[in-house]
Amino acid sequence: MANTPVTNYTDDNIKTIEGVEHIRLRPGMYIGRLGDGSKEGDGIYVLLKEIVDNSIDEYAMGFGKQVQINIENDEVSVRDFGRGIPLDSVIKATSILNTGGKFDDKAFKKSVGLNGVGTKAVNALSESFYVCSHRDGECSWARFERGELKDSGRGETKEKNGTLVVFKPDSMMFSKFSYNMDYVRTMVKNYSYLKKGLTLVFNGESYKSENGLLDLVNENLSETPLYPPIHLEGEDIEIVLSHGNAYGENISSFVNGQNTRDGGTHLAAYREAVAKTLKEFFKKNYDPVDCRQGIVGAISIQIQEPNFEGQTKTKLGSTYMWEKQVKGKDGVLTTDIGPTIRSFVNDFISKNLNNYLTIHKELQPVIEEKIKASQKEREEISSIQKKTRERNKRANVYNRKLRDCRFHFNDKVTEKTADDIERSSIFITEGDSASGTITKVRNANNQAVFSLRGKPINCYKESRKKVAENEELNLLISALGVEDDLENLRYNNIIVATDADDDGMHIRMLVLTFIMKYYPDLIRRGHVHILQTPLFRVRNKKATKYCYSIDEKEAAVKELKTGVEITRFKGLGEISSNEFVDFIGENMRLDPVKLSDEESISDIMSFYMGDNTIERQNFIRENLRSEEELEDVNI
């Protein structure tokens, strides 16, 4: 056994971290990943959201009808016109952990913020943070730097009641960050849909919704639905429902105004309730998958003390509508719980959707015809896929194509942490050379490799039946685990890893076309990525740099100056194993594949994979960098 150095463990090793110091030391515990603003879930958007959530909570409690949000030079200001923070508590409420009004259900009944943490996390992770509360002609303000109080004061004011917060994320924590205004605009628009009557002004542009989720669905429809969306509202719940001809399900979900893009118990209840209600209404034992195929909709619920999986609150984990401690006459505390979210959503949809369809008889044949068409196609495809899988199993092709990871060697193991699930990945690559390189250097604990043989078929041009007969794509579906339901997805990250040449780009487009057409929710939920691999290696005797663009290459050449050797990589197999390990590790570069609700899948596929139109030719001419440009390595 190797000799292990002895480390003294004494009282001096016991540390107490006070206040916001812990947030700065362990930011991921409070806001998830840091990031640089290139992804919607990056920390700078969580900081913005925590402050806006406080303003939304004020409106939800009946105070203030407008929230003003401005972002300029990456400095954020948020002004609401609610009650304002109690003046004696301005410093305490923004800098001392586990302090806030949201622990009191009388003051905030259904808030979404990180109770007692949110604003403090923003303060701690900002290089500058200013807060000013206006209440009944008086104001109280405080100015912080990286969580440390620098100045404060109190005086008179002529401004309306409410709170102003101005902050700039800390460049020491968020390296080279920048706000993507499209992400922020989407966030603001979602707030307006969820809080009817509230006006949000973002950089001078106003957003206000009078019809709630119905506006969200109607404004984001990319194709004409089969029937006008059904809009049902009740106490603490609102849903919208329609069907289209696209594959998959496109359902937005929210809890207390939080966009739960990863779903959770409320979305599962919605999906179950819609299928159950339609089966019972038509008195047919339709498969739930057929009832939901092509569904377009949304659900929003309001609950007390929501329990989210992870601090960034993208997936609801709560089982009950509310849960609280109650002291009995004997003084003993007991847990009092409300209805389960599942039963609450089921009961609401079952009653109200049934009534709606009974009244609007013209919708009945449209919906049932859609279900029957889905059923017929699914049964035909299922039969073909079963035969294909059996043939592949006999040929033992599956085992050769998928190098699975230890995370899935035993799918019955339930003790998988959130971090295990977050890191689980599958690389979809081409050929034995590239897949062999990745397999050698991957982290076998959580990274799997699927090797394509040649080019997959162009799903845009082929029938669903033809696609179902394709061996490669059937094996890929099986590897991903999405034959029956996307909820069975085996990997959090689906990474397309192809060569940086014409063939590689074409294979990438074919794989993405397949996913976009038949499994678009994988893209909408942020599971699909493109692996960036370096185009160039620039080195001299003292240093080596890997460059992902011509600009990076030129910068590296200038930095290394003399004796420079430049290598142009075209295929993944050209990169040695000991080099490649750096490109699929902790710092690998991934480009997320994005698909917004309002983007038409058919239009996108028609443009990129359809007939060679003038528009596409012009697009290629404007964006193409020739091989000559890439190989021009003169210095």
Side-chain angles (χ1 to χ4, degrees), residues 280-504:
E280 291 176 352
F281 183 85
F282 293 116
K283 296 180 173 61
K284 302 282 181 60
N285 190 29
Y286 292 126
D287 193 293
V289 172
D290 299 320
C291 294
R292 296 192 298 260
Q293 183 65 269
I295 196 172
V296 181
I299 177 172
S300 173
I301 65 172
Q302 303 286 323
I303 67 178
Q304 288 190 23
E305 298 294 335
N307 174 33
F308 295 98
E309 295 182 11
Q311 287 285 25
T312 52
K313 305 186 292 293
T314 57
K315 186 174 184 178
L316 180 67
S318 297
T319 303
Y320 300 97
M321 291 296 291
W322 51 266
E323 193 170 357
K324 58 187 178 182
Q325 295 290 308
V326 178
K327 185 178 292 187
K329 293 181 180 180
D330 56 0
V332 177
L333 283 175
T334 59
T335 301
D336 191 13
I337 58 175
T340 65
I341 290 172
R342 180 184 179 189
S343 65
F344 176 77
V345 174
N346 258 290
D347 291 346
F348 175 80
I349 291 179
S350 177
K351 176 183 176 182
N352 291 278
L353 181 56
N354 190 296
N355 291 343
Y356 192 96
L357 294 178
T358 300
I359 295 170
H360 298 82
K361 292 182 171 56
E362 71 280 6
L363 300 186
Q364 297 175 17
V366 179
I367 295 175
E368 188 162 28
E369 185 59 35
K370 170 63 179 176
I371 296 173
K372 288 180 178 178
S374 175
Q375 180 185 45
K376 181 180 178 181
E377 182 183 54
R378 180 182 56 79
E379 289 175 348
E380 289 177 351
I381 301 308
S382 178
S383 176
I384 294 170
Q385 289 178 330
K386 183 177 180 181
K387 292 177 181 177
T388 305
R389 282 196 294 270
E390 287 299 318
R391 184 174 69 248
N392 291 335
K393 188 180 292 185
R394 286 195 299 272
N396 199 30
V397 178
Y398 179 84
N399 290 332
R400 293 206 310 269
K401 299 186 73 62
L402 176 67
R403 283 88 162 179
D404 214 342
C405 53
R406 296 190 185 102
F407 180 72
H408 280 307
F409 283 170
N410 185 357
D411 280 336
K412 295 180 181 179
V413 175
T414 57
E415 293 182 4
K416 296 173 181 176
T417 67
D419 189 56
D420 290 332
I421 297 170
E422 175 75 22
R423 291 172 181 270
S424 61
S425 305
I426 182 169
F427 293 94
I428 301 173
T429 189
E430 52 171 317
D432 294 336
S433 177
S435 62
T437 300
I438 295 179
T439 301
K440 285 179 183 177
V441 300
R442 63 169 175 155
N443 182 336
N445 288 322
N446 50 47
Q447 292 179 332
V449 182
F450 183 90
S451 178
L452 289 167
R453 184 183 63 199
K455 293 181 180 179
I457 64 172
N458 184 349
C459 297
Y460 174 71
K461 295 182 177 180
E462 299 290 352
S463 67
R464 182 71 176 97
K465 181 179 179 181
K466 188 74 173 177
V467 173
E469 293 171 341
N470 184 265
E471 179 182 281
E472 294 288 305
L473 296 181
N474 267 295
L475 292 171
L476 177 57
I477 292 170
S478 181
L480 295 177
V482 294
E483 299 105 314
D484 302 317
D485 198 311
L486 292 189
E487 300 304 315
N488 298 326
L489 178 65
R490 302 177 74 238
Y491 310 94
N492 185 54
N493 304 296
I494 301 168
I495 303 171
V496 183
T498 56
D499 288 342
D501 57 16
D502 290 344
D503 283 343

Side-chain angles (χ1 to χ4, degrees), residues 213 216-217 220-221 238-243 247-254 259-264 266-275 288 291-300 314 345 349 485-487 520-521 524-525 597:
L213 287 188
L216 181 149
V217 172
N220 289 335
L221 284 172
E238 179 182 3
I239 75 158
V240 179
L241 166 69
S242 188
H243 283 84
Y247 289 93
E249 304 170 18
N250 186 6
I251 309 169
S252 302
S253 64
F254 303 87
N259 183 359
T260 45
R261 62 177 181 271
D262 292 325
H266 59 318
L267 179 57
Y270 173 100
R271 298 174 70 242
E272 176 188 350
V274 168
C291 294
R292 296 192 298 260
Q293 183 65 269
I295 196 172
V296 181
I299 177 172
S300 173
T314 57
V345 174
I349 291 179
D485 198 311
L486 292 189
E487 300 304 315
D521 267 11
R524 290 193 183 101
R525 296 181 187 180
D597 292 336

Side-chain angles (χ1 to χ4, degrees), residues 44-52 69 71 76 167 184 187:
I44 61 172
Y45 303 110
V46 179
L47 301 188
L48 169 61
K49 190 180 178 309
E50 290 302 330
I51 300 301
V52 177
I69 305 166
I71 300 179
V76 179
F167 70 93
V184 179
M187 180 192 300

